[in-house]
Amino acid sequence: MQDGAVLYDQFYREGWRPDPDLTVSQWADTYRFLSSKGASEAGPWRTSRTPYLKGPMDDLSPSSPVQRVVLMFASQTGKTETGNNWLGYIMHFAPGPILAVQPTVDMAKRLSKQRIAPMIDETPALRGLVSAPRARDASNTMLVKEFRGGFLIMTGSNSASALSSMPVRYLFLDEVDRYPADVEEEGDPVLLAERRTNTFSRRKILLTSTPTIKGLSRIETEFKASDQRFYFVPCPHCGHEQALVWKGIKWQKENTRDVWYDCEQCAGRIEEHHKTAMLAAGQWRATAEAESHKTVGYHLNALYCPVGWRSWADIVGEFLDAKSNRERLKTWVNTVLAESFDDEYTSVLDSDNLASRCEFYDPMTAPEPVCLATAGVDVQDDRLAVVIRGWGAGEQSWLIYHTEIYGDPALSNVWVQLKSLLQSPIQHELGATLTPRIVAIDSGGHHTQQVYAFCRDHKRSLGAVAIKGQSQAGKSPVGRPVKVDLNYKGQAIKKGAELYPVGSDTIKSTIYARLKSAEGEGQYHFYHGVGPEYFKQLTSERQIIRYRNGYPKKEWTKKSTDRNEALDCEVYAYAALHVLYMHADRTQIWKVFADRLQPKAEATVAAPSSAPATTKTTRAPAIHARRSAFRDRVLGR
Ligand SMILES: [Zn+2]
């Protein structure tokens, strides 16, 4: 193929630059040398080593009409080298302006130093063709290499200015799942970068990544919009062509290094050493209709790694190490299977599964371990949603009632009904009755004043408190209350309404962690008949990881169409328990309240009006010297 180079030089001297028919894979086989610095196998590039890279590389060739190539690949399968070969090809044979984007500017610098510079140095055809210009941009967020007829800019997805700098014909977006959702408030970095290519009708865009979280993975979204190609390889026994999938991998329980692949057709045992011939005979097959015929998408998991790289036995070993740890399992699924990972909680917090855990006790009754009850009220524009929850030692809890009171919260009717519900006696299994000690009502909606008014009027009689959720992570479940009722001088009214800030994110994490396990500390119980809508709302949110400036950040999110009031009510009912903790001794609280629910005979002996010394001793630590009316209500005197 040296003729191609001679020809090219001749064309170039003549002042025109044709897009030659040479493909990127042919170019790599002819010219590319793998640096001993960057690659595990130094020396001349051989596409036959990783035959699955030929398809993507050839789509990146000028002779292909494809404009957009999507690689959803496992890590260390050659996807970055695919991009590098393409860059080398462009610099050598199809010059034009290139933008190569890494997740961060620092990573772009590393790519430049550890991959691009060695590639240029050790590939004779490129050496002497490329130079780094003297001047750099002042902010130093771009790295520039110049070559005849073009330039290569390397930058990070975290630099908006570099992404929107100049028009480019070629765009290489590497590891797109690590890009921030929004770069410096200028929007999506991928869109920002793609806009640079608009002026070129013969543009090419390469997007690569290992996927991350289901629903948030950019590469998965791109792949789904593509023709979804998988690499089909023939079985050495029956010739059946199939894509390699994790469920085909088998191993001996006694010897986990003894690993093979079960052919989906003949169930024949395919060995690691069969892979070389299978890869060579493999072919990419589209499995979907692309939204645009100019887009192609390739999926490749690590089971395709050439013999001598990561073996099937290695992969099984990594799986066995990772499977008991969710974080490690997630990494394994992303980087080995090249599949997105369903969020930490959604897979477990399946509403049907929770509903199947319902127990046989009636609504508005409390099983024996319940010591006290709280309520949480969510205020919507046309209704109140209410959860009453009973609590026992160790914060094990029982749903006592869930309901919705329809009506306009601006009018008194819903509040009258709420009051009546909160005054309804809950029948305890031991014979006594109880009502919620604290009722936490959300004031964050459109009816803040009505909530304040209700809480002001029923602070003492119902234990009603106004709360306001804070979504920042790391807040305590309940913060110090703020007086919100002011007199005409703007001073706080002593007995006026108070507002408790609630760490909603913190509480959601606690509740979801508890919902995940069917037993153990803090277990959540539900009564039969609560209905599927409650569970749907309870499980409507999920904690996801968003990347901000390349750093992962956990956030709670729900689909905009989903209702989540039941979850909010549960958050508030739990917050109510924490309001109670502020007024009582946490170590004594279960005993104090459990004692009150003892059968009547005992209760008469220990009647509150003439409480004997023993009872007093029990209660003493729970009581603060200066009792407010509110505290009286809380502690039930
Ligand atoms: Zn077979």
Side-chain angles (χ1 to χ4, degrees), residues 234-242 262-270:
C235 167
H237 310 298
C238 72
H240 174 69
E241 293 179 343
Q242 56 204 300
D262 260 2
C263 169
E264 67 175 15
Q265 181 77 16
C266 72
R269 186 175 156 128
I270 303 172

Side-chain angles (χ1 to χ4, degrees), residues 334-356:
N334 291 159
T335 61
V336 175
L337 300 186
E339 284 170 14
S340 64
F341 194 76
D342 212 342
D343 165 69
E344 202 169 335
Y345 299 107
T346 41
S347 56
V348 188
L349 265 196
D350 157 27
S351 65
D352 292 342
N353 175 35
L354 273 183
S356 73

Side-chain angles (χ1 to χ4, degrees), residues 62 90 108 131 149 238 290 342 345 362 427 440 443 487 491 535 562 570:
I90 297 167
S131 64
C238 72
D342 212 342
Y345 299 107
D362 288 328
Q427 190 61 50
S443 67
N487 63 17
Q491 297 161 328
F535 289 107
D562 283 0
E570 289 288 5

Side-chain angles (χ1 to χ4, degrees), residues 180-238:
D182 180 67
V183 49
E184 295 167 4
E185 294 177 2
E186 301 261 325
D188 180 359
V190 170
L191 286 180
L192 223 55
E194 282 195 31
R195 227 171 273 153
R196 301 296 103 216
T197 65
N198 283 350
T199 48
F200 289 89
S201 60
R202 299 197 64 203
R203 62 184 173 165
K204 294 259 186 202
I205 300 170
L206 170 64
L207 297 106
T208 80
S209 198
T210 53
T212 49
I213 298 157
K214 198 170 219 80
L216 272 189
S217 168
R218 284 176 200 278
I219 202 72
E220 188 176 48
T221 308
E222 295 283 351
F223 180 72
K224 289 236 168 97
S226 79
D227 58 356
Q228 304 187 25
R229 298 177 184 197
F230 291 88
Y231 202 64
F232 282 69
V233 291
C235 167
H237 310 298
C238 72

